[in-house]
Amino acid sequence: RTARDEGNGTAVFDPAAYARWRANRDLIADLQHALGTDELSMHYQPIVDLESGRIVAAEALLRWTRPDGTAVSPAHFIPLAEQSGDITLLGEWVLGRVCSDLTGLWAAHRLPVTVNISAHQLRDAGFATRLLERLERAGLPGAALIAEITETVLVTTVTDAATTISQLQQLREHGVRIAVDDFGTGYSSLAYLRELPVDILKMDGSFTSRQIEAGSPREIAFVRTIVELGRSLDLCTLAEAVETEAQAQRLRELGCHLAQGYHFARPAPVAVLHDLLAAQRAPSTGTAA
Ligand code: C2E
Ligand code: MG
Ligand code: MG
Ligand code: MG
C-alpha cells in the first residue's frame, strides 16, 4: 500500500510506504534468485530435556546470507514470502533440506527435528501427502519429524480450516508430531487448541522473561498456567528463548519438560549438532579416572 488514507476519503501518495514496498519487492526478487544457490541454508538449535539436560530434538531454522555476507532475518523475509506466495517453493526447499540432514541425525542418534510450517503451506490439500512421501523416500519414519505451526493457522485460513485440520491429522496418523509455536500470543489460544490435533505446546519466548528469573509472581503465574494446561491435556511443554540458568531452573521447578535457547546452544549448521550429539553420547571422560 503506497497510498495513505487521509481519513477524509482522499488518498495521498506516501513516499516512505512506496520506498518500503520497492525494497520488499526487490528483496523477494533476490529471494527467488537465492533459492537455486547456496545463499540459503538450514541451522539447527538443540532442544533439551530440562530434567536430564540431554538434547532430545532440534529446531530447523532457515538462514539467508547474501553474497555480500549480510544475513537477512527469517522474521523479515518469511512474512514477505507468505504475502508473495513464494513460501510454497521456499517451504518445499526447507523440507527437502531438512529431510536430507535428518537422514544422518536419525540414523546416528534417533534425533527428531522440528520444522516451521506456514499456514499457507497447510492450505494446500496435497501438502501432507507430499511431506509423507518425502519422508518415505528418505527412509524416515513420521516420528523423526515434528511440525511447528502457529495458532494463527486457523485464523488466517478460517475458510479452509477443515483442510488444515485434516492435513495435520493425516501427518499425525503417520507419527509426525504437531507443536503449537509461539503459544500464548494468538488471539484465542484456547479455542484453537480445542480444534487442532496437538502434541507439544511451545510457549512463546516472551513468557521466558527476565521477570520469571527475578521471581515476579505475575509472570510466573502465566508460565505455571501454560504448563498446567499442557499437563491436563497430556501435552509436552517446551519453553523457547531460555537465556540463563536461572530461567531454566525456574522452568524446571514449574514442571516444564523441554527448553531451547542461547543458554543451551545457538542455532548452528548440522555438523555442529552432530558434534554436540557425539559428545553427549560419549561416556563421560571427566577428571575421575
Ligand atoms: P520461531 O519458530 O519462534 O523460532 C525461534 C526464534 O528464536 C529463532 O529466530 C531463534 O533463532 C530465536 N532464538 C533461539 N534462542 C533464543 C534465545 O535464547 N533468545 C532469543 N531472543 N531468541 C532465540 P529466527 O531463526 O530468527 O527465526 C525467526 C522466525 O522465522 C521463527 O520463529 C519462525 O517463525 C520463522 N522461521 C524460521 N525458519 C523458518 C522456516 O524454515 N519456515 C518457516 N515457515 N518459518 C521459519
Ligand atoms: Mg518455531
Ligand atoms: Mg517460537
Ligand atoms: Mg517466534
Side-chain angles (χ1 to χ4, degrees):
R1 220 170 289 130
T2 59
R4 179 174 41 148
D5 191 340
E6 290 287 270
N8 56 5
T10 51
V12 295
F13 179 71
D14 181 340
Y18 179 64
R20 259 196 319 274
W21 174 82
R22 273 186 54 148
N24 289 344
R25 185 202 57 185
D26 293 349
L27 195 75
I28 281 299
D30 289 351
L31 180 62
Q32 287 165 344
H33 175 76
L35 251 173
T37 72
D38 60 6
E39 289 179 41
L40 295 181
S41 65
M42 295 309 294
H43 276 193
Y44 295 87
Q45 184 176 38
I47 294 172
V48 304
D49 180 308
L50 276 167
E51 223 28 80
S52 67
R54 294 179 68 82
I55 301 169
V56 294
E59 179 173 15
L61 293 159
L62 184 56
R63 292 293 176 261
W64 178 15
T65 308
R66 313 195 67 172
D68 67 1
T70 56
V72 191
S73 166
H76 182 52
F77 70 81
I78 294 277
L80 292 176
E82 287 173 344
Q83 278 168 36
S84 69
D86 289 289
I87 191 66
T88 310
L89 264 179
L90 190 59
E92 291 294 327
W93 182 88
V94 165
L95 290 170
R97 180 56 65 87
V98 166
C99 283
S100 81
D101 289 342
L102 187 49
T103 309
L105 290 168
W106 188 258
H109 304 283
R110 288 285 178 270
L111 192 87
V113 162
T114 78
V115 63
N116 294 283
I117 310 287
S118 287
H120 299 65
Q121 292 175 272
L122 289 166
R123 222 181 275 173
D124 170 358
F127 174 79
T129 303
R130 276 202 310 278
L131 175 51
L132 292 169
E133 280 168 3
R134 230 185 236 293
L135 287 171
E136 204 178 317
R137 275 201 304 277
L140 291 163
L145 202 78
I146 301 168
E148 288 196 13
I149 55 163
T150 57
E151 301 162 78
T152 49
V153 289
L154 291 185
V155 187
T156 54
T157 60
V158 70
T159 51
D160 13 32
T163 311
T164 296
I165 291 171
S166 78
Q167 305 261 7
L168 294 175
Q169 274 161 350
Q170 188 187 345
L171 290 176
R172 219 155 163 251
E173 276 158 24
H174 289 82
V176 175
R177 277 162 292 169
I178 313 294
V180 185
D181 203 357
D182 304 336
F183 184 76
T185 59
Y187 290 105
S188 42
S189 312
L190 293 180
Y192 291 113
L193 206 53
R194 286 169 71 198
E195 304 296 326
L196 293 170
V198 170
D199 303 279
I200 299 164
L201 276 192
K202 195 162 180 181
M203 207 186 318
D204 188 66
S206 58
F207 292 105
T208 315
S209 59
R210 292 279 157 190
Q211 287 102 301
I212 70 159
E213 191 179 319
S216 155
R218 186 179 151 81
E219 291 300 314
I220 287 172
F222 280 104
V223 175
R224 179 178 288 121
T225 301
I226 295 173
V227 171
E228 285 296 328
L229 178 66
R231 204 199 318 277
S232 37
L233 294 174
D234 216 10
L235 305 176
C236 177
T237 46
L238 196 172
E240 49 175 23
V242 177
E243 294 180 349
T244 67
E245 174 51 31
Q247 289 171 341
Q249 182 53 33
R250 188 72 73 182
L251 290 159
R252 205 176 285 124
E253 284 161 14
L254 290 166
C256 182
H257 302 116
L258 310 177
Q260 74 184 90
Y262 301 157
H263 171 60
F264 303 103
R266 291 191 174 251
V270 71
V272 175
L273 182 59
H274 274 286
D275 288 347
L276 291 172
L277 290 163
Q280 165 171 292
R281 169 181 283 183
S284 167
T285 50
T287 47

